[in-house]
């Protein structure tokens, strides 16, 4: 069973790395900056330099981000299960919660990449992105702690 879990983990890792949403029509990191805009004014400032291809690039990233959270979520779940120990299932569930937060964040992001920076979209994206990244950080810290103990 553990060998099969390793194989699934490697598949998720390759898909997560290889299919990461990105687009050359945007400056690196602009979509992540937009996730944390929180306000109409800040969202407008971030996208002010985008032209039509820039918005098309952001839309392409968001279109791919419909399924990408499930890839990194699957990877995190597998890593939690491989790390084992007390609470492994809880951390695996937190990984899925992070995916769900990402999907809710994407509602706000989709509105913004379509040019609607009005309340509440920047706030929704910012709050849910913050919670998502916090959970991912917690899960990764737990995995690293278990790795340090030589468990995996």
């Amino acid at each position: 069973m553990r060998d099969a879990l390793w194989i699934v983990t490697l598949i998720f890792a390759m898909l997560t790395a290889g299919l990461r949403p990105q687009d050359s029509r945007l400056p690196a990191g602009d979509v992540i900056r937009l996730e944390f805009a929180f306000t109409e004014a800040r969202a407008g400032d971030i996208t002010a330099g985008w032209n039509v291809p820039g918005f098309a690039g952001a839309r392409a990233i968001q279109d791919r981000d419909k399924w990408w959270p499930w890839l990194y979520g699957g990877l995190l779940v597998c890593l939690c299960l491989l790390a084992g120990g007390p609470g492994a299932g809880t951390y695996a569930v937190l990984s899925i919660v992070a995916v769900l937060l990402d999907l809710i964040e994407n509602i706000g992001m989709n509105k913004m990449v379509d040019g609607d920076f009005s309340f509440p979209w920047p706030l929704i994206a910012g709050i849910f992105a913050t919670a998502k990244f916090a959970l991912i950080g917690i899960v990764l810290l737990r995995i690293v702690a278990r790795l340090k103990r030589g468990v995996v």
Side-chain angles (χ1 to χ4, degrees), residues 34-39 105 108-109 112 120-133:
L34 187 60
E35 285 178 340
F36 294 103
F38 285 99
T39 67
E105 165 209 318
M109 287 296 294
M112 289 193 292
W121 308 123
L123 188 60
I124 287 171
I127 289 170
F128 284 91
T130 301
K132 167 191 76 177
F133 282 116

Side-chain angles (χ1 to χ4, degrees), residues 54-64 109-111 113-114:
F55 275 97
R59 167 53 46 215
I61 289 171
Q62 284 307 113
D63 287 344
R64 287 187 298 262
M109 287 296 294
N110 287 334
K111 289 291 195 174
V113 299
D114 289 339

Side-chain angles (χ1 to χ4, degrees), residues 4 31 42-43 47 51 62 71 82-83 86 91 102 113 118 121 135 146 148:
V31 169
R42 182 73 181 127
T47 59
N51 51 20
Q62 284 307 113
L71 294 177
L82 282 170
Y91 285 94
D102 196 344
V113 299
S118 64
W121 308 123
L135 282 182
R146 295 289 295 171
K148 189 174 179 183

Side-chain angles (χ1 to χ4, degrees), residues 68-103:
W68 194 71
W70 295 108
L71 294 177
Y72 76 71
L75 175 61
L76 290 174
V77 167
C78 288
L79 289 171
C80 287
L81 297 176
L82 282 170
T90 300
Y91 285 94
V93 169
L94 288 178
S95 300
I96 299 302
V97 171
V99 168
L100 297 175
L101 292 171
D102 196 344
L103 296 175

